[in-house]
Amino acid sequence: MELLTIGAFARAARLTPKALRLYDELGLLPPAAVDPHSGYRYYRPAQLDRARLIATLRRAGMPLAEIRAVCGLAPAAAAEAVDAWWRRVSADTAARGRVVALLVDQLSERGSTMSDTIFRYAVRCETGAVRDSNEDSAYASDTLLAVADGMRGPGGAAASTAAVDALRPLELADAPAAQLLATLAEAVAAADRTVRAHATDEHQPVSTLTAILRRGTRLALVHVGDTRAYLLRGGELFRLTQDHTYVQSQVDQGRLTPAEAAAHPQRALLSRALGAGAQVEADLALRTALAGDRYLLCSDGLSALVGPDALRTALAGADDPETAVARLVDLAYAEGAPDNVGCVVADVVAA
């Protein structure tokens, strides 16, 4: 069989001779023959498929170590490996995008002139169309917004109520803005202990919790579980929290797509919650309150049924929090409201 020179092979594979030499050194694409005197490399035409595969994967950004593994697989298995890698990349890119968006948001806020703010808010907590009990708790005041979702079963309602009640002393606490996160972390630890205290020999209740504490122009956000916080700013809706669930961890690892996660039978299985595990591990973040912002905190009885586009439309189209909350609850009932629906909508307005 006639061999191709490295130059001819490079042109046919749309690679450079330099790239071919690198792939040879790494064992990815060794030449068919090497001239013992000149060291010149020669390739078989049959090697073109492998070379083109390597080139395509490199253009897609796959690391060389993973390309080596893919090249050693049968076509069907290689396709699965490439698909799994791309899911991981997509999940990582989405996570980085959220971090960058929040960073840009925070940097933009630092350049703004701040004035003192207050919350104008509305709260709804509905049993729903199917359940015969309500394990959600929703609360709002001028300084605190909170939604909690207790696990269905004995003690669930008490757990969510206890989670929210543990934060309410912070409404009157005279902690400076610089200590907001530390103050909130201590309160969440207290909430965790309170929920654990409701345990019996037969049942350990757990609860999610998402809350925002305001001090002047500073907002402290705490989150554990799959209740959510959203921000509507300039007509755009931003999700501020990441679900602490089994299926979300599978999405983060590239094992599930977001669409698959939304329909997964274990989508409500929590990986973090108050009252679960050795001790609570909550997400904490500090934000700046800007007049004109609208916040939504809700349980999965709303977010699991109503997509982000519909949430944005309802929030953006309402003149006040009361109208927004009513529209959101109506959307949940329009989808059958199989779960409890707890939500708080709060506008940030200049004091």
Side-chain angles (χ1 to χ4, degrees), residues 109-307:
E109 290 168 352
R110 292 174 190 173
S112 304
T113 301
M114 303 302 168
S115 59
D116 201 7
T117 58
I118 59 173
F119 284 140
R120 287 181 181 162
Y121 53 84
V123 183
R124 288 279 292 273
C125 195
E126 300 279 330
T127 301
V130 176
R131 297 285 180 88
D132 56 4
S133 61
N134 194 345
E135 283 77 36
D136 284 2
S137 292
Y139 176 80
S141 72
D142 183 43
T143 55
L144 177 66
L145 316 173
V147 172
D149 183 355
M151 184 175 66
R152 185 166 171 78
S160 66
T161 299
V164 173
D165 286 349
L167 301 186
R168 293 185 62 177
L170 299 181
E171 294 176 283
L172 303 176
D174 193 23
Q179 298 179 12
L180 267 183
L181 289 183
T183 301
L184 198 52
E186 292 172 1
V188 172
D192 184 53
R193 292 191 295 270
T194 302
V195 171
R196 291 176 190 276
H198 285 79
T200 66
D201 292 338
E202 295 79 24
H203 186 70
Q204 170 62 65
V206 302
S207 178
T208 69
L209 176 64
T210 301
I212 294 176
L213 179 65
R214 183 189 64 80
R215 284 291 182 275
T217 61
R218 304 305 286 169
L219 302 177
L221 169 67
V222 63
H223 168 68
V224 58
D226 64 352
T227 37
R228 292 182 179 179
Y230 294 88
L231 166 64
L232 182 75
R233 173 176 289 174
E236 296 296 322
L237 185 67
F238 302 92
R239 181 172 151 193
L240 304 181
T241 54
Q242 181 85 331
D243 292 347
H244 299 146
T245 59
Y246 165 75
V247 295
Q248 183 60 53
S249 69
Q250 297 298 291
V251 171
D252 294 341
Q253 296 169 22
R255 299 177 182 273
L256 291 175
T257 66
E260 290 170 337
H264 198 283
Q266 293 181 302
R267 61 186 177 276
L269 181 61
L270 297 173
S271 58
R272 283 197 241 167
L274 299 178
Q279 63 181 43
V280 65
E281 182 182 355
D283 294 340
L284 294 162
L286 196 62
R287 301 186 57 80
T288 299
L290 294 182
D293 286 350
R294 174 168 285 178
Y295 285 89
L296 165 66
L297 277 62
C298 64
S299 65
D300 65 339
L302 176 65
S303 60
L305 296 178
V306 182

